[in-house]
Amino acid sequence: MITPWNAPLMLASWRFAPALAAGNTVVLKPPEWAPLTASLFADVARDAGLPDGVFNVVQGIGEDAGAALVEHEGVDRIAFTGSVATGRLVAAAAGRNLTPVSLELGGKSPFLTFADADLDAAVKQAVNQFDNAGQVCLAGTRLLVEESIQDEFLERFLTAARALRQGDPREDATDVGPQITRQHFERVDGYVQRAKTDGARALLGGGPNEELGGLYYRPTLFVDATAGSEILTQEVFGPVLTLQSFRDEDEAVALANSTDYGLAAIVYTGDRDRAERVSSGLVAGTVWVNCFFVRDLAAPFGGSRNSGVGREGGAWSCDLSANVKNGCMAPWG
């Protein structure tokens, strides 16, 4: 199991538990930017009585420790969460040994709001997409709003977003924390500055938080981005959202599906039939209707297109963690 830094306990435990239940031993390679959670997790497992060698943690840089693990002939399964680029490298290495892989990769999820939606709830959830400083692969970073309510939605969104408190994430009053490293901070800023050069307008944020300094990046909202531009199609993984409008369901679905990703989607509507129609047309491993980030661990989880390969959760995790055996016997006697 190779896990990312943005949710190190959750993403490790999601995979560790079903693998263990299926009778496997596990090697966890945590991210070098967030190593301590995995070590504490191993300590808890040991103190709970798990036998030595069942749950193992290997710390190290991805190019070294991670590469050695995925290329090893003694590994029977690989579960990876991370970037598309690294996922391709993992899949290629696994392919040389024909090792089955589960890949949960990036996302550029759409957040669709129709005119019949509970606008207060939709706006509140849209602002929540800045959670974890935007470092969430599932986040609905592309706000798609029906044309007739765009102005009202935008006004309410900007009012709520400007009230967000940015600061130390260890303080209860903080809404938005920092980016994880200087390297990642500069990556996010690169996307923002290129979006401005391409003609997009930042109605909110648009740069570092000079008052706080350090790795704090202001929550940002872009409008008027050109169709197909980088800011609309590539994962930023920071507190950066875009807003586009649509006229009808067909245009909404077309805009939602206009990236190479397919991890998740969020739909806000007051019409159950519309929710069914739109959800059916969206390319996404998970579609949340009038909610977000509700996860039943028995339900399938994973992405389509560049967002991943395979599903995990419930019986789907068993499919990954065990080989199916068919026994066929002739009649006795």
Side-chain angles (χ1 to χ4, degrees):
M1 301 179 350
I2 300 177
T3 52
W5 45 262
N6 60 321
L9 177 61
M10 180 183 72
L11 293 173
S13 60
W14 276 5
R15 283 173 159 156
F16 165 68
L20 187 68
N24 296 285
T25 58
V26 171
V27 177
L28 170 63
K29 194 305 206 172
E32 56 267 29
W33 290 350
L36 296 182
T37 299
S39 293
L40 290 170
F41 191 17
D43 291 343
V44 170
R46 178 200 58 208
D47 294 344
L50 206 63
D52 290 345
V54 173
F55 179 43
N56 311 273
V57 175
V58 174
Q59 301 282 7
I61 304 298
E63 291 87 343
D64 299 325
L69 286 170
V70 299
E71 293 171 357
H72 200 286
E73 293 182 356
V75 173
D76 296 318
R77 292 290 190 276
I78 297 170
F80 171 83
T81 302
S83 71
V84 175
T86 305
R88 288 193 173 109
L89 294 175
V90 169
R96 289 192 283 273
N97 293 325
L98 296 181
T99 305
V101 298
S102 174
L103 304 174
E104 197 266 281
L105 308 177
K108 191 71 174 176
S109 301
F111 188 121
L112 293 80
T113 302
F114 289 88
D116 57 11
D118 180 335
L119 198 55
D120 287 335
V123 168
K124 181 179 180 180
Q125 196 66 268
V127 175
N128 285 343
Q129 303 310 298
F130 288 127
D131 278 359
N132 207 30
Q135 298 164 135
V136 179
C137 57
L138 294 164
T141 57
R142 293 184 295 132
L143 306 180
L144 308 178
V145 182
E146 191 163 354
E147 202 171 67
S148 61
I149 61 167
Q150 179 185 4
D151 291 345
E152 185 177 2
F153 180 97
L154 184 56
E155 181 180 356
R156 294 193 191 188
F157 178 90
L158 291 174
T159 298
R162 285 169 179 150
L164 291 173
R165 181 170 177 175
Q166 193 165 21
D168 190 331
R170 293 169 293 187
E171 296 179 1
D172 292 340
T174 295
D175 298 305
V176 181
Q179 304 302 290
I180 187 167
T181 66
R182 173 59 57 180
Q183 176 185 353
H184 187 64
F185 177 92
E186 292 174 353
R187 178 181 183 274
V188 170
D189 189 53
Y191 275 109
V192 170
Q193 301 313 320
R194 289 192 297 275
K196 293 178 181 179
T197 300
D198 290 341
R201 288 192 300 127
L203 297 185
L204 179 76
N209 188 326
E210 298 85 355
E211 296 177 7
L212 293 175
L215 301 182
Y216 290 94
Y217 207 90
R218 293 188 183 279
T220 297
L221 176 70
F222 277 113
V223 297
D224 299 338
T226 304
S229 61
E230 180 186 65
I231 198 65
L232 293 177
T233 58
Q234 298 302 310
E235 184 180 40
V236 178
F237 216 63
V240 181
L241 309 182
T242 60
L243 187 143
Q244 299 168 274
S245 64
F246 60 83
R247 292 181 296 276
D248 52 35
E249 287 182 22
D250 289 342
E251 186 178 15
V253 172
L255 285 171
N257 292 338
S258 63
T259 75
D260 292 330
Y261 294 97
L263 185 57
I266 305 163
V267 178
Y268 268 78
T269 177
D271 185 330
R272 183 169 183 171
D273 291 335
R274 167 175 282 158
E276 295 280 358
R277 289 192 304 271
V278 172
S279 296
S280 179
L282 295 173
V283 179
T286 300
V287 179
W288 283 289
V289 177
N290 297 332
C291 60
F292 176 61
F293 209 59
V294 178
R295 174 83 203 279
D296 184 336
L297 293 177
F301 181 80
S304 302
R305 295 178 173 169
N306 282 356
S307 289
V309 175
R311 295 291 183 270
E312 296 181 53
W316 289 268
S317 287
C318 293
D319 289 343
L320 173 68
S321 300
N323 286 321
V324 175
K325 180 185 292 183
N326 176 32
C328 182
M329 297 185 183
W332 294 99

